[in-house]
Amino acid sequence: MQMLADVTTPEIEDVEAIISAKDVSVFYGDKQALNNVNLDIPANQITSLIGPSGCGKSTFLRCLNRMNDTVFGCRVEGNITLDGQDIYAPEVDEVLLRARVGMVFQKPNPFPKSIYDNVAYGPRIHGLTRDKDELDEVVLTSLEKAGLLKEVKDRLNATGTGLSGGQQQRLCIARALAVQPDIILMDEPCSALDPIATARIEELIEELRENYTIIIVTHSMQQAARISQKTAFFHMGEIVEVGDTEQLFTNPRDDRTQGYITGRFG
Amino acid sequence: MTDTSTPGKKTDWASPQLLAKVAQRQRAEKRFRRLGLSAIVIALAMLATLLFSIAGKGYSAFYQTRLVMDVTFSEAVIDPKGTRNEDDLRAAGYGGIVRDTLRETFPDVKSRKDLRELFALVSKGAPMQLRDMVLDNPDLIGQTVPVDFIAGDDIDMFNKGFIPRDVPEGDRRVKDMEIAWFDQLDAVGAVKMVFNSTFFTSGDSREPELAGIWGAISGSFYTLIVTFLISFPIGVMSAIYLEEFAPQNKFTDLIEVNINNLAAVPSIVFGLLGLALFLNVAHLPRSAPLVGGLTLALMTLPTIIIASRAAIRAVPDSIREAALGLGASKQQTAFHHVLPLSMPGILTGTIIGLSQALGETAPLLMIGMVAFIVDIPGGFTDAATVLPVQIFLWADSPERAFVEKTSGAILVLLGFLIFMNALAVLLRKKFERRW
Ligand SMILES: Nc1ncnc2c1ncn2[C@@H]1O[C@H](COP(=O)(O)OP(=O)(O)OP(=O)(O)O)[C@@H](O)[C@H]1O
Ligand SMILES: [Mg+2]
């Protein structure tokens, strides 16, 4: 499989890779969850990770911002670089890394605080703004970018957990944007949402592509096909196939990819 | 029954076996509900019995018999020099005035023995009562005014009906003669029952009618402050460290097991530890709220740690991930999000721990807080006692009048406990969160 992965990469070589994973293996205790994964993430593109449940998509995503560090017994091997720098190098501050590589989770998880404080939290702890006016500005533009401002602008002090599921997820996106990351990781951001809210978020992701690099895990083939430029198919802890989204969906090289996208297994 | 599970065959839900099974299940459920209900009824009945018996015995402690007599504040006795100097007024012989008052009210009593009985009609505190009146208002000197004397404890008991008239004279503490005097006063309306403010404002006393719980309440207050100041920060910090930062290894497990064990250690053991540590090694003052508070803090710590850990664990991981994902450090995550969210639970646990400490007696006996202390403690190092120890002391006293004081003090203690626990419930209700 590794051969396959290597073969497919050259096709998108023309775009500069911002993240590059080489031979990444992840273990939870004795259990191996990822086995020698190689993947380049092109800058300012949307990369989607697809694959059957339990194949290691979330695990891979959480390696990219070292969220796995917080999981007891989790061990990461291999090499992941961000802008050419090894993110697992001892001198790297993982807290700062997480500010550069934002994350949106599967289940919306706003803080039980006001909408304003939710968005302002990141800039506050990183000291990104000098005064209240500047902070207001950041909060409003982040909400605007996340397409939530219109709905909440006259209740910024209402609690974030009181919003609808879709609104909460957009609030979480706004919260991630407020830190001004380079990369945003999204782990099934639409799985708890109805089709209309999903469409809004997809629209939003496409808009964000201009300024951010986005990696999204999704269970919806259509979603992957609609929004991403590059797709990686995971299976049993390995990348079976990776390539141009259009090519992967219309003309997969591997039988397993074919089987998965046509719904024969997964 | 076996054939119902064979594939292809339809279950006959109306078959006698299945119906019998349903009936059996319904009977079992009814039986269980009845058992549960009776368990609750029994528990409530016991609680009610306890409360009623204590309240029945204790409510009379909140009232006090007063004997009204005309007192002549003779200038010749109180202030012969006429200077109205406060020190002179303080040192004057008010005992003589009390005796004169009684002699004038009952002119027939002549013999020394009878007079001694007569003087016991009013409390030993009567001279102090007069002194305080004069110090309060020196204009009284030279006047004759009616004064509400606190009755002696035997008369008080008699008036409250605890000493019946119809037993033979030899078997009761109030003699026929005293009853006659009492009746004489009663006949002219000079016997009053008033709210017993002494009980709530004074410290302990050998005289039941002068004894109060304010000293013990103050002692409990200072003790609990020390307990809170020590056990809350240490407990919460330990809980946060153990839950959020400690590596998961054998050593952490060992600590966890030991904390749980400590919570189950009998409180007297903590008293012995306090004695050894704070008195014998650190040489802190004996009987002081400081030492009592430290000792109770040792006892309360495990409770607070356990409750805090449970509250911290109840904060969903998604909140931690949200904060970490934004680039918050572990410490920022713990203090900005986890701690505030678990605070209601932590406070509830703390209040419950403190109310346990408030009701604790045994460890305090070990560090000398069981002494007879009249003065109201004014600080953390003054000799003091606490409410439950005061109850213990009074329950041990032979005087009939201390029985009602004991129950009265228990009522007050129960009041504080109910208040604290209600506060805990209220906090929990108010900040209850659904995720
Ligand atoms: N914290 C953990 N401890 C132990 N094993 C884990 C942990 N998290 C994930 N795993 C295991 O690692 C493997 C990959 O899990 P992962 O969550 O990455 O799958 P996934 O592709 O995201 O699945 P899904 O689509 O269902 O979210 C699974 O077998 C899972 O059981
Ligand atoms: Mg997943």
PDB file of all heavy atoms in Angstrom, chain A residues 46-71:
ATOM      1  N   ILE A  46      -8.159  22.181   0.497  1.00  0.00           N
ATOM      2  CA  ILE A  46      -8.926  21.371   1.432  1.00  0.00           C
ATOM      3  C   ILE A  46      -8.581  19.921   1.165  1.00  0.00           C
ATOM      4  O   ILE A  46      -8.708  19.437   0.044  1.00  0.00           O
ATOM      5  CB  ILE A  46     -10.436  21.617   1.258  1.00  0.00           C
ATOM      6  CG1 ILE A  46     -10.727  23.101   1.501  1.00  0.00           C
ATOM      7  CG2 ILE A  46     -11.224  20.745   2.219  1.00  0.00           C
ATOM      8  CD1 ILE A  46     -12.146  23.488   1.194  1.00  0.00           C
ATOM      9  N   THR A  47      -8.110  19.260   2.203  1.00  0.00           N
ATOM     10  CA  THR A  47      -7.767  17.847   2.082  1.00  0.00           C
ATOM     11  C   THR A  47      -8.769  17.062   2.888  1.00  0.00           C
ATOM     12  O   THR A  47      -8.999  17.380   4.059  1.00  0.00           O
ATOM     13  CB  THR A  47      -6.356  17.588   2.637  1.00  0.00           C
ATOM     14  OG1 THR A  47      -5.443  18.437   1.967  1.00  0.00           O
ATOM     15  CG2 THR A  47      -5.962  16.140   2.465  1.00  0.00           C
ATOM     16  N   SER A  48      -9.392  16.056   2.300  1.00  0.00           N
ATOM     17  CA  SER A  48     -10.311  15.276   3.120  1.00  0.00           C
ATOM     18  C   SER A  48      -9.761  13.892   3.384  1.00  0.00           C
ATOM     19  O   SER A  48      -9.065  13.308   2.556  1.00  0.00           O
ATOM     20  CB  SER A  48     -11.706  15.224   2.503  1.00  0.00           C
ATOM     21  OG  SER A  48     -11.639  14.875   1.168  1.00  0.00           O
ATOM     22  N   LEU A  49     -10.038  13.418   4.583  1.00  0.00           N
ATOM     23  CA  LEU A  49      -9.635  12.078   4.983  1.00  0.00           C
ATOM     24  C   LEU A  49     -10.895  11.247   5.083  1.00  0.00           C
ATOM     25  O   LEU A  49     -11.830  11.599   5.814  1.00  0.00           O
ATOM     26  CB  LEU A  49      -8.927  12.103   6.341  1.00  0.00           C
ATOM     27  CG  LEU A  49      -7.826  13.163   6.546  1.00  0.00           C
ATOM     28  CD1 LEU A  49      -7.234  13.028   7.942  1.00  0.00           C
ATOM     29  CD2 LEU A  49      -6.746  13.039   5.499  1.00  0.00           C
ATOM     30  N   ILE A  50     -10.953  10.171   4.318  1.00  0.00           N
ATOM     31  CA  ILE A  50     -12.133   9.316   4.384  1.00  0.00           C
ATOM     32  C   ILE A  50     -11.699   7.900   4.734  1.00  0.00           C
ATOM     33  O   ILE A  50     -10.503   7.579   4.712  1.00  0.00           O
ATOM     34  CB  ILE A  50     -12.919   9.318   3.051  1.00  0.00           C
ATOM     35  CG1 ILE A  50     -12.027   8.824   1.916  1.00  0.00           C
ATOM     36  CG2 ILE A  50     -13.462  10.699   2.749  1.00  0.00           C
ATOM     37  CD1 ILE A  50     -12.788   8.580   0.619  1.00  0.00           C
ATOM     38  N   GLY A  51     -12.680   7.079   5.068  1.00  0.00           N
ATOM     39  CA  GLY A  51     -12.366   5.697   5.397  1.00  0.00           C
ATOM     40  C   GLY A  51     -13.347   5.160   6.411  1.00  0.00           C
ATOM     41  O   GLY A  51     -14.043   5.933   7.070  1.00  0.00           O
ATOM     42  N   PRO A  52     -13.418   3.837   6.510  1.00  0.00           N
ATOM     43  CA  PRO A  52     -14.396   3.241   7.428  1.00  0.00           C
ATOM     44  C   PRO A  52     -14.102   3.591   8.887  1.00  0.00           C
ATOM     45  O   PRO A  52     -12.993   3.976   9.230  1.00  0.00           O
ATOM     46  CB  PRO A  52     -14.247   1.734   7.188  1.00  0.00           C
ATOM     47  CG  PRO A  52     -12.946   1.566   6.507  1.00  0.00           C
ATOM     48  CD  PRO A  52     -12.669   2.820   5.766  1.00  0.00           C
ATOM     49  N   SER A  53     -15.094   3.429   9.718  1.00  0.00           N
ATOM     50  CA  SER A  53     -14.960   3.764  11.132  1.00  0.00           C
ATOM     51  C   SER A  53     -13.831   2.964  11.780  1.00  0.00           C
ATOM     52  O   SER A  53     -13.686   1.770  11.528  1.00  0.00           O
ATOM     53  CB  SER A  53     -16.289   3.470  11.828  1.00  0.00           C
ATOM     54  OG  SER A  53     -16.223   3.922  13.136  1.00  0.00           O
ATOM     55  N   GLY A  54     -13.038   3.646  12.585  1.00  0.00           N
ATOM     56  CA  GLY A  54     -11.977   2.960  13.321  1.00  0.00           C
ATOM     57  C   GLY A  54     -10.705   2.776  12.525  1.00  0.00           C
ATOM     58  O   GLY A  54      -9.787   2.098  12.962  1.00  0.00           O
ATOM     59  N   CYS A  55     -10.614   3.412  11.337  1.00  0.00           N
ATOM     60  CA  CYS A  55      -9.437   3.193  10.500  1.00  0.00           C
ATOM     61  C   CYS A  55      -8.304   4.124  10.876  1.00  0.00           C
ATOM     62  O   CYS A  55      -7.199   4.000  10.364  1.00  0.00           O
ATOM     63  CB  CYS A  55      -9.796   3.366   9.039  1.00  0.00           C
ATOM     64  SG  CYS A  55     -10.308   5.038   8.652  1.00  0.00           S
ATOM     65  N   GLY A  56      -8.541   5.087  11.741  1.00  0.00           N
ATOM     66  CA  GLY A  56      -7.440   5.923  12.227  1.00  0.00           C
ATOM     67  C   GLY A  56      -7.440   7.343  11.704  1.00  0.00           C
ATOM     68  O   GLY A  56      -6.436   8.042  11.839  1.00  0.00           O
ATOM     69  N   LYS A  57      -8.550   7.803  11.129  1.00  0.00           N
ATOM     70  CA  LYS A  57      -8.594   9.175  10.600  1.00  0.00           C
ATOM     71  C   LYS A  57      -8.413  10.199  11.712  1.00  0.00           C
ATOM     72  O   LYS A  57      -7.586  11.103  11.625  1.00  0.00           O
ATOM     73  CB  LYS A  57      -9.945   9.423   9.890  1.00  0.00           C
ATOM     74  CG  LYS A  57     -10.283   8.410   8.820  1.00  0.00           C
ATOM     75  CD  LYS A  57     -11.623   8.690   8.192  1.00  0.00           C
ATOM     76  CE  LYS A  57     -12.788   8.594   9.152  1.00  0.00           C
ATOM     77  NZ  LYS A  57     -13.119   7.234   9.596  1.00  0.00           N
ATOM     78  N   SER A  58      -9.221  10.032  12.797  1.00  0.00           N
ATOM     79  CA  SER A  58      -9.112  10.987  13.907  1.00  0.00           C
ATOM     80  C   SER A  58      -7.725  10.915  14.519  1.00  0.00           C
ATOM     81  O   SER A  58      -7.133  11.935  14.872  1.00  0.00           O
ATOM     82  CB  SER A  58     -10.149  10.672  14.984  1.00  0.00           C
ATOM     83  OG  SER A  58     -11.434  10.735  14.437  1.00  0.00           O
ATOM     84  N   THR A  59      -7.217   9.703  14.636  1.00  0.00           N
ATOM     85  CA  THR A  59      -5.894   9.535  15.222  1.00  0.00           C
ATOM     86  C   THR A  59      -4.863  10.319  14.426  1.00  0.00           C
ATOM     87  O   THR A  59      -4.037  11.041  14.991  1.00  0.00           O
ATOM     88  CB  THR A  59      -5.530   8.040  15.250  1.00  0.00           C
ATOM     89  OG1 THR A  59      -6.518   7.353  16.003  1.00  0.00           O
ATOM     90  CG2 THR A  59      -4.171   7.823  15.862  1.00  0.00           C
ATOM     91  N   PHE A  60      -4.936  10.215  13.112  1.00  0.00           N
ATOM     92  CA  PHE A  60      -3.980  10.946  12.277  1.00  0.00           C
ATOM     93  C   PHE A  60      -4.150  12.458  12.462  1.00  0.00           C
ATOM     94  O   PHE A  60      -3.183  13.192  12.641  1.00  0.00           O
ATOM     95  CB  PHE A  60      -4.168  10.571  10.805  1.00  0.00           C
ATOM     96  CG  PHE A  60      -3.217  11.297   9.903  1.00  0.00           C
ATOM     97  CD1 PHE A  60      -1.873  10.956   9.881  1.00  0.00           C
ATOM     98  CD2 PHE A  60      -3.657  12.332   9.092  1.00  0.00           C
ATOM     99  CE1 PHE A  60      -0.983  11.646   9.064  1.00  0.00           C
ATOM    100  CE2 PHE A  60      -2.769  13.026   8.278  1.00  0.00           C
ATOM    101  CZ  PHE A  60      -1.429  12.676   8.260  1.00  0.00           C
ATOM    102  N   LEU A  61      -5.403  12.890  12.436  1.00  0.00           N
ATOM    103  CA  LEU A  61      -5.670  14.316  12.571  1.00  0.00           C
ATOM    104  C   LEU A  61      -5.091  14.846  13.879  1.00  0.00           C
ATOM    105  O   LEU A  61      -4.493  15.918  13.929  1.00  0.00           O
ATOM    106  CB  LEU A  61      -7.192  14.530  12.534  1.00  0.00           C
ATOM    107  CG  LEU A  61      -7.674  15.906  12.104  1.00  0.00           C
ATOM    108  CD1 LEU A  61      -7.259  16.166  10.670  1.00  0.00           C
ATOM    109  CD2 LEU A  61      -9.179  15.998  12.234  1.00  0.00           C
ATOM    110  N   ARG A  62      -5.283  14.056  14.935  1.00  0.00           N
ATOM    111  CA  ARG A  62      -4.845  14.526  16.251  1.00  0.00           C
ATOM    112  C   ARG A  62      -3.325  14.484  16.412  1.00  0.00           C
ATOM    113  O   ARG A  62      -2.792  15.044  17.352  1.00  0.00           O
ATOM    114  CB  ARG A  62      -5.522  13.691  17.348  1.00  0.00           C
ATOM    115  CG  ARG A  62      -7.031  13.950  17.429  1.00  0.00           C
ATOM    116  CD  ARG A  62      -7.718  12.871  18.233  1.00  0.00           C
ATOM    117  NE  ARG A  62      -7.199  12.820  19.583  1.00  0.00           N
ATOM    118  CZ  ARG A  62      -7.700  13.499  20.608  1.00  0.00           C
ATOM    119  NH1 ARG A  62      -8.756  14.252  20.419  1.00  0.00           N
ATOM    120  NH2 ARG A  62      -7.163  13.414  21.794  1.00  0.00           N
ATOM    121  N   CYS A  63      -2.652  13.817  15.469  1.00  0.00           N
ATOM    122  CA  CYS A  63      -1.189  13.863  15.495  1.00  0.00           C
ATOM    123  C   CYS A  63      -0.701  15.217  15.016  1.00  0.00           C
ATOM    124  O   CYS A  63       0.372  15.677  15.396  1.00  0.00           O
ATOM    125  CB  CYS A  63      -0.600  12.807  14.554  1.00  0.00           C
ATOM    126  SG  CYS A  63      -0.744  11.163  15.183  1.00  0.00           S
ATOM    127  N   LEU A  64      -1.493  15.837  14.142  1.00  0.00           N
ATOM    128  CA  LEU A  64      -1.014  17.045  13.469  1.00  0.00           C
ATOM    129  C   LEU A  64      -0.960  18.242  14.404  1.00  0.00           C
ATOM    130  O   LEU A  64      -0.236  19.187  14.146  1.00  0.00           O
ATOM    131  CB  LEU A  64      -1.899  17.357  12.256  1.00  0.00           C
ATOM    132  CG  LEU A  64      -1.986  16.228  11.216  1.00  0.00           C
ATOM    133  CD1 LEU A  64      -2.847  16.648  10.047  1.00  0.00           C
ATOM    134  CD2 LEU A  64      -0.588  15.831  10.741  1.00  0.00           C
ATOM    135  N   ASN A  65      -1.778  18.235  15.481  1.00  0.00           N
ATOM    136  CA  ASN A  65      -1.628  19.322  16.465  1.00  0.00           C
ATOM    137  C   ASN A  65      -1.228  18.758  17.831  1.00  0.00           C
ATOM    138  O   ASN A  65      -1.400  19.406  18.850  1.00  0.00           O
ATOM    139  CB  ASN A  65      -2.897  20.168  16.568  1.00  0.00           C
ATOM    140  CG  ASN A  65      -4.075  19.405  17.114  1.00  0.00           C
ATOM    141  OD1 ASN A  65      -4.035  18.183  17.201  1.00  0.00           O
ATOM    142  ND2 ASN A  65      -5.118  20.117  17.502  1.00  0.00           N
ATOM    143  N   ARG A  66      -0.713  17.560  17.811  1.00  0.00           N
ATOM    144  CA  ARG A  66      -0.214  16.904  19.034  1.00  0.00           C
ATOM    145  C   ARG A  66      -1.274  16.808  20.119  1.00  0.00           C
ATOM    146  O   ARG A  66      -0.966  16.836  21.307  1.00  0.00           O
ATOM    147  CB  ARG A  66       1.050  17.611  19.550  1.00  0.00           C
ATOM    148  CG  ARG A  66       2.217  17.379  18.613  1.00  0.00           C
ATOM    149  CD  ARG A  66       3.505  17.974  19.104  1.00  0.00           C
ATOM    150  NE  ARG A  66       3.911  17.467  20.421  1.00  0.00           N
ATOM    151  CZ  ARG A  66       5.067  17.787  20.994  1.00  0.00           C
ATOM    152  NH1 ARG A  66       5.921  18.587  20.375  1.00  0.00           N
ATOM    153  NH2 ARG A  66       5.381  17.327  22.177  1.00  0.00           N
ATOM    154  N   MET A  67      -2.527  16.697  19.708  1.00  0.00           N
ATOM    155  CA  MET A  67      -3.590  16.459  20.676  1.00  0.00           C
ATOM    156  C   MET A  67      -3.413  15.090  21.320  1.00  0.00           C
ATOM    157  O   MET A  67      -3.876  14.849  22.427  1.00  0.00           O
ATOM    158  CB  MET A  67      -4.950  16.494  19.976  1.00  0.00           C
ATOM    159  CG  MET A  67      -5.780  17.741  20.114  1.00  0.00           C
ATOM    160  SD  MET A  67      -5.634  18.695  21.572  1.00  0.00           S
ATOM    161  CE  MET A  67      -7.332  18.723  22.014  1.00  0.00           C
ATOM    162  N   ASN A  68      -2.758  14.189  20.589  1.00  0.00           N
ATOM    163  CA  ASN A  68      -2.563  12.842  21.135  1.00  0.00           C
ATOM    164  C   ASN A  68      -1.650  12.841  22.351  1.00  0.00           C
ATOM    165  O   ASN A  68      -1.641  11.892  23.112  1.00  0.00           O
ATOM    166  CB  ASN A  68      -1.985  11.926  20.059  1.00  0.00           C
ATOM    167  CG  ASN A  68      -3.061  11.403  19.142  1.00  0.00           C
ATOM    168  OD1 ASN A  68      -4.223  11.321  19.533  1.00  0.00           O
ATOM    169  ND2 ASN A  68      -2.703  11.078  17.919  1.00  0.00           N
ATOM    170  N   ASP A  69      -0.884  13.918  22.523  1.00  0.00           N
ATOM    171  CA  ASP A  69      -0.021  14.009  23.707  1.00  0.00           C
ATOM    172  C   ASP A  69      -0.839  13.887  24.980  1.00  0.00           C
ATOM    173  O   ASP A  69      -0.345  13.422  26.007  1.00  0.00           O
ATOM    174  CB  ASP A  69       0.706  15.360  23.747  1.00  0.00           C
ATOM    175  CG  ASP A  69       1.747  15.444  22.646  1.00  0.00           C
ATOM    176  OD1 ASP A  69       1.691  14.613  21.727  1.00  0.00           O
ATOM    177  OD2 ASP A  69       2.608  16.332  22.729  1.00  0.00           O
ATOM    178  N   THR A  70      -2.097  14.340  24.922  1.00  0.00           N
ATOM    179  CA  THR A  70      -2.903  14.348  26.140  1.00  0.00           C
ATOM    180  C   THR A  70      -3.533  12.985  26.409  1.00  0.00           C
ATOM    181  O   THR A  70      -4.111  12.777  27.465  1.00  0.00           O
ATOM    182  CB  THR A  70      -4.033  15.389  26.039  1.00  0.00           C
ATOM    183  OG1 THR A  70      -4.882  15.019  24.951  1.00  0.00           O
ATOM    184  CG2 THR A  70      -3.490  16.777  25.808  1.00  0.00           C
ATOM    185  N   VAL A  71      -3.437  12.072  25.432  1.00  0.00           N
ATOM    186  CA  VAL A  71      -4.029  10.746  25.646  1.00  0.00           C
ATOM    187  C   VAL A  71      -3.008   9.858  26.341  1.00  0.00           C
ATOM    188  O   VAL A  71      -1.882   9.723  25.877  1.00  0.00           O
ATOM    189  CB  VAL A  71      -4.451  10.122  24.303  1.00  0.00           C
ATOM    190  CG1 VAL A  71      -4.997   8.724  24.513  1.00  0.00           C
ATOM    191  CG2 VAL A  71      -5.472  11.001  23.617  1.00  0.00           C
TER     192      VAL A  71
END
